[in-house]
Amino acid sequence: MFQEGLIPLMEQGVITNRNKKFLPGKVVTSLVMGGRRLYDFIDDNPEVLFVDGSVTNNPSIIASNPKVAAINSAIEVDITGQVCSDSIGTRHISGVGGQVDFERGAALSQGGVPIICLPSTTKAKGNPNAIGDSRIVSTLKLGAGVVTSRYHSHYIVTEYGYAYLFGKNLLQRARAMIDIAHPDHREELHKVAFERFKTLV
């Protein structure tokens, strides 16, 4: 999706698209959303190319570009790296978008970085100073959809740092994920992980 925040970056020469292998010099998008400034900017702009989502979200095309940084969000991630991004339990609140396509494409891109970002906790209801529930969880909620599998997860990021999961076993993943959970929730996650793996995490 092309959005208004890209305009100043293009105008200042921060985004040039000159290092792309696929359609260099072009912003490639399948949809836009914004206000009048955005639509005026893209109108008849030769730097902006609209193509079908089957092209923009094709992992092999994404991977053909070097140093792709794919940044996606999540609702919750379990301690093994399973990513839920579309539902809270069985209640769907979003689509999967291109998360899997861009995670895979960035992983295959030369120098690429696939990243999943989320806050460590939910917002606490009724008390802005309270700590909400952990979004780094021992297991995903019943009925939650796994959008990105644990085997495709690379970098998981919260405000407490990042966990690099690719190629790690389940115990190593649990340790890395608990380290980026909110400190108030780590003890419980350690306890559950011990019960699951029968060793200290």
Side-chain angles (χ1 to χ4, degrees):
M1 182 173 73
F2 187 100
Q3 53 184 308
E4 206 162 303
L6 296 172
I7 296 173
L9 297 175
M10 291 179 69
E11 290 175 338
Q12 295 166 24
V14 175
I15 295 176
T16 65
N17 296 293
R18 67 173 174 254
N19 294 319
K20 294 170 60 180
K21 302 296 183 191
F22 179 73
L23 297 172
K26 302 283 187 185
V27 169
V28 179
T29 188
S30 61
L31 68 145
V32 297
M33 181 179 284
R36 172 54 51 196
R37 181 179 183 217
L38 175 64
Y39 295 108
D40 288 343
F41 181 83
I42 64 169
D43 183 38
D44 208 24
N45 187 333
E47 289 185 79
V48 181
L49 181 65
F50 281 83
V51 297
D52 190 81
S54 64
V55 176
T56 61
N57 290 24
N58 184 324
S60 63
I61 291 175
I62 295 165
S64 72
N65 292 305
K67 298 181 180 178
V68 173
I71 303 173
N72 286 286
S73 63
I75 294 168
E76 62 180 6
V77 182
D78 77 11
I79 58 174
T80 70
Q82 295 187 116
V83 179
C84 176
S85 301
D86 65 346
S87 64
I88 298 174
T90 58
R91 183 167 62 92
H92 278 263
I93 61 171
S94 177
V96 299
Q99 180 171 118
V100 177
D101 304 321
F102 278 88
E103 286 293 298
R104 192 73 188 125
L108 296 171
S109 163
Q110 184 177 5
V113 185
I115 303 167
I116 300 286
C117 295
L118 72 164
S120 65
T121 63
T122 63
K123 290 183 179 177
K125 295 176 182 175
N127 183 352
N129 298 318
I131 303 300
D133 295 332
S134 183
R135 291 175 66 171
I136 305 298
V137 294
S138 57
T139 57
L140 299 179
K141 288 180 179 60
L142 182 64
V146 177
V147 174
T148 296
S149 79
R150 63 174 65 115
Y151 302 109
H152 289 100
S153 294
H154 284 65
Y155 290 93
I156 310 294
V157 177
T158 72
E159 68 271 30
Y160 293 100
Y162 72 90
Y164 183 71
L165 304 182
F166 191 70
K168 293 187 175 178
N169 65 36
L170 295 181
L171 187 58
Q172 291 168 329
R173 289 164 178 264
R175 287 179 179 138
M177 290 299 296
I178 293 170
D179 283 347
I180 63 167
H182 190 283
D184 288 2
H185 293 294
R186 291 178 192 172
E187 183 177 349
E188 179 61 25
L189 289 169
H190 276 293
K191 179 182 175 184
V192 173
F194 177 80
E195 293 170 356
R196 178 172 180 175
F197 300 113
K198 309 306 180 195
T199 188
L200 292 174
V201 174

